[in-house]
Each structure stands twice: as C-alpha cells, then as structure tokens.
Amino acid sequence: MECIFCKIIAGEIPSDTIYKDEEFIAFRDIQPQAPVHVLIVPVNHIVSVNDLGEKDASMIGRLILLAKRIAEQEHIAESGYRLVINCGSEGGQVVPHLHLHLMGGIRLNDRMG
Ligand code: 5GP
Ligand code: ZN
C-alpha cells in the first residue's frame, strides 16, 4: 500500500487524529494553513472527486455533515470556516486519496491559489 492517507488510516503512520468511525477519519494537517486545519478523509481509497459516482452521493453528504460537526467541536462554527476539496494537479491536489479540508480560526483571504 503506497497511499499515505491509507497508511494513516491503518495506523502505520502517526497522525493527530481527532475523529474516526467505519467510514471517515479526521486528523490535523501536518502543515496547517490556518489555526484549525483538519483533513476529513473517507476510509475507502477513492482517488478524487473525478472517481465519485451516484453511489457515493450519500457518503459525500455525510462527509459535509461531519465537517460541520467537527467545526462545532473546534469552536469555529460561529466565526466561520472554509471547506475545500482539491481535485487533480491544477486543482492543487497533492495526495491522491479524496479528502476535505476544514480550515478556520482566522479570517481567510479570498485568493484561491
Ligand atoms: P491536497 O493538496 O492534496 O489537497 O492536500 C494534502 C494535504 O495533506 C496537505 O495540506 C498536506 O499538508 C497534508 N499532508 C500530507 N502528508 C501528510 C501527513 O503525512 N500527515 C498529515 N497529517 N497531513 C499530511
Ligand atoms: Zn488511500
């Protein structure tokens, strides 16, 4: 298994994990871009949004709802936060395992890259 996030999910690489269930894991980004920067990752290895189909619609819904719950736990629900999914090289995706960035705790600028 070459995927770094699959290795984190398997416990082979340490991470600052703040949530885990059968479907998702959430851990703090190793290079945070904001005071709160959490990656929320499906346990199943899906490379990117390009690989999603109709069968994944409810999983993606639960992913967003989990991000909302973690934002509340991290006390950034009221102040606001940003959810980002990068897809492919020009989208800025570096790790080829689908993940949602939850960022907050500071006023984020409007630039997208
Ligand atoms: P992408 O650019 O693919 O959307 O985001 C990948 C993110 O994963 C980056 O923000 C990067 O800092 C983070 N990351 C890469 N390797 C590791 C790691 O081993 N542990 C953790 N916690 N985050 C990682
Ligand atoms: Zn993976």
Side-chain angles (χ1 to χ4, degrees):
M1 188 211 322
E2 288 303 309
C3 173
I4 191 153
F5 286 178
C6 281
K7 284 182 176 163
I8 287 175
I9 290 159
E12 292 170 14
I13 291 178
S15 69
D16 189 352
T17 295
I18 61 170
Y19 181 86
K20 193 168 189 330
D21 64 21
E22 325 72 66
E23 195 172 33
F24 301 109
I25 187 170
F27 49 86
R28 296 191 194 281
D29 198 291
I30 205 166
Q31 269 191 297
Q33 307 295 311
V36 174
H37 189 169
V38 174
L39 302 173
I40 309 172
V41 183
V43 165
N44 287 335
H45 182 87
I46 300 168
V47 172
S48 80
V49 170
N50 282 343
D51 300 285
L52 293 171
E54 278 299 323
K55 66 173 175 17
D56 302 305
S58 56
M59 182 277 285
I60 289 297
R62 289 190 293 275
L63 177 66
I64 303 274
L65 290 172
L66 177 57
K68 173 194 152 177
R69 291 212 309 274
I70 293 174
E72 287 164 358
Q73 276 175 32
E74 295 288 319
H75 309 292
I76 56 171
E78 293 300 319
S79 53
Y81 51 89
R82 186 171 293 171
L83 303 178
V84 172
I85 302 178
N86 297 322
C87 180
S89 60
E90 292 198 357
Q93 185 176 10
V94 174
V95 176
H97 181 136
L98 184 70
H99 52 282
L100 178 70
H101 296 256
L102 165 64
M103 287 171 285
I106 197 169
R107 180 169 293 277
L108 296 162
N109 67 37
D110 291 336
R111 266 181 61 101
M112 300 293 280

